[in-house]
Amino acid sequence: MTKHECAVITAYTGISLLRGTDLSYLYKYLSAIVGRPVFTHEIPAVVAQYKDSIIRHDFCTICQEATDDS
């Protein structure tokens, strides 16, 4: 799983898969959605606004493109 995929899953589920400096992937992902930098205090509002559209689509794409372990 890539860090970008972790950011998508974090945004969709609310379960943080990123720690420390890797949180920058979440900020980059959300910033790309809104077209400007997203600040910490804005994350809940941005996720709420886009969860049922863009974030859900990206989450489902990750799941649909998943490959077998073997």
Side-chain angles (χ1 to χ4, degrees):
M1 180 180 310
T2 68
K3 299 291 183 178
H4 173 76
E5 291 170 335
C6 289
V8 173
I9 293 168
T10 296
Y12 188 71
T13 66
I15 299 169
S16 183
L17 302 179
L18 301 165
R19 302 278 187 258
T21 58
D22 286 343
L23 280 170
S24 65
Y25 288 90
L26 178 62
Y27 287 89
K28 289 176 193 174
Y29 172 64
L30 295 175
S31 294
I33 290 173
V34 299
R36 63 169 178 77
V38 171
F39 298 98
T40 303
H41 69 280
E42 298 177 296
I43 290 175
V46 171
V47 168
Q49 183 174 354
Y50 294 98
K51 184 173 183 179
D52 290 332
S53 57
I54 296 170
I55 297 171
R56 178 182 299 213
H57 174 267
D58 293 345
F59 177 80
C60 290
T61 298
I62 291 169
C63 294
Q64 292 164 350
E65 293 176 356
T67 60
D68 293 335
D69 288 340
S70 51

